[in-house]
Amino acid sequence: MKAIVMAGGKGTRLYPYSAAMPKPLMPVGEAPVLELLLRRLTNAGINHAILGVNHLRHLIEAFFGDGSRHGLKITYSLEDQPLGTAGPIGMVIDELGEHFVVTNGDLLTTLDLRKMIDEHMRTGADATIGSYRKELKSEFGILEVDDHMRMTGYSEKPTFSHLVSMGVYVLKKSAVRPHVQAGQRLDMPDLMCLMCAANADVRCFTGDFFWLDIGRPEDFALAQKLVDENPAYFDGAA
């Protein structure tokens, strides 16, 4: 099975570090974020990763080469202009098998990707979204009112639980193809909504695993701590 890895973003939330180094090459422990992800993909049975590159792409290409050093084949798809989180699919869809993985290049998780792929195949889904239960604490006191602006409730900085997208997907090519075009900008939320509107079977996969959004400096620091304690924490071999 092949995977498309979105590695073309500028990582603006980690600026100024990302001005000199693309976010997928940011080190976590002794390895770049993208290397940890490629290990997880390889351990899940992925044998060919297509890296969508743009920002500082020469650094990514120089580090990973043809992928032989990392145990899989790597090829590159250049975005001449930003295409969003789903647009690069349209550039390479003819190179893909009927089912394929799409992931952000900065994904740090202990998700069992092989199990997610197996579940996608078992259910016959058109798309399976890797999902994580996240608790978000409000910074403000939340007021509840009726139609006449009479207060009916007051919660001081409550915590809400949401199922959020992790940035990893297993997709069926025949269901995706009608919605993507080469060179057309498209984001994943829009693609998933287009597929749902076309009555595609779009499912969410979750479980007992850990996920970090390393665009936030505090989470990037936590990732460093976890890998210091267990170097194989995020690479699929833990």
Side-chain angles (χ1 to χ4, degrees), residues 127-186:
T128 302
I129 305 171
S131 310
Y132 186 72
R133 182 67 62 179
K134 189 79 171 176
E135 290 192 347
L136 304 175
K137 185 175 180 61
S138 172
E139 298 179 5
F140 308 101
I142 303 299
L143 293 166
E144 298 176 17
V145 298
D146 63 16
D147 292 341
H148 301 285
M149 292 299 291
R150 290 187 293 250
M151 191 186 81
T152 60
Y154 191 153
S155 300
E156 179 60 21
K157 298 181 180 179
T159 297
F160 302 95
S161 179
H162 299 278
L163 199 62
V164 301
S165 172
M166 300 163 54
V168 57
Y169 309 80
V170 187
L171 304 178
K172 185 176 181 180
K173 180 166 73 172
S174 57
V176 171
R177 183 186 288 276
H179 308 293
V180 297
Q181 295 182 28
Q184 182 183 61
R185 181 182 176 87
L186 184 67

Side-chain angles (χ1 to χ4, degrees), residues 15-33:
Y15 189 84
Y17 309 107
S18 55
M21 180 181 295
K23 190 176 175 183
L25 286 185
M26 297 288 286
V28 176
E30 297 182 355
V33 172

Side-chain angles (χ1 to χ4, degrees), residues 10-186:
K10 293 185 177 181
T12 52
R13 290 185 296 165
L14 286 179
Y15 189 84
Y17 309 107
S18 55
M21 180 181 295
K23 190 176 175 183
L25 286 185
M26 297 288 286
V28 176
E30 297 182 355
V33 172
L34 182 52
E35 183 173 345
L36 297 177
L37 173 60
L38 291 177
R39 291 177 195 171
R40 183 163 292 276
L41 291 172
T42 302
N43 289 331
I46 301 299
N47 54 28
H48 182 179
I50 302 170
L51 305 189
V53 293
N54 185 312
H55 177 62
L56 299 176
R57 65 183 185 275
H58 61 287
L59 297 179
I60 295 174
E61 293 173 7
F63 187 91
F64 291 102
D66 64 3
S68 55
R69 185 167 63 91
H70 304 278
L72 77 172
K73 179 180 179 181
I74 294 178
T75 56
Y76 300 89
S77 177
L78 172 62
E79 300 177 37
D80 290 327
Q81 57 185 0
L83 296 176
T85 52
I89 298 172
M91 304 289 289
V92 299
I93 193 163
D94 291 332
E95 303 174 30
L96 304 170
E98 181 60 5
H99 298 273
F100 59 96
V101 171
V102 177
T103 177
N104 293 343
D106 60 353
L107 183 71
L108 273 180
T109 182
T110 61
L111 165 73
D112 186 337
L113 183 56
R114 187 183 293 273
K115 185 175 180 181
M116 179 177 167
I117 293 170
D118 289 346
E119 181 71 5
H120 171 84
M121 302 298 286
R122 184 190 67 79
T123 61
D126 294 310
T128 302
I129 305 171
S131 310
Y132 186 72
R133 182 67 62 179
K134 189 79 171 176
E135 290 192 347
L136 304 175
K137 185 175 180 61
S138 172
E139 298 179 5
F140 308 101
I142 303 299
L143 293 166
E144 298 176 17
V145 298
D146 63 16
D147 292 341
H148 301 285
M149 292 299 291
R150 290 187 293 250
M151 191 186 81
T152 60
Y154 191 153
S155 300
E156 179 60 21
K157 298 181 180 179
T159 297
F160 302 95
S161 179
H162 299 278
L163 199 62
V164 301
S165 172
M166 300 163 54
V168 57
Y169 309 80
V170 187
L171 304 178
K172 185 176 181 180
K173 180 166 73 172
S174 57
V176 171
R177 183 186 288 276
H179 308 293
V180 297
Q181 295 182 28
Q184 182 183 61
R185 181 182 176 87
L186 184 67

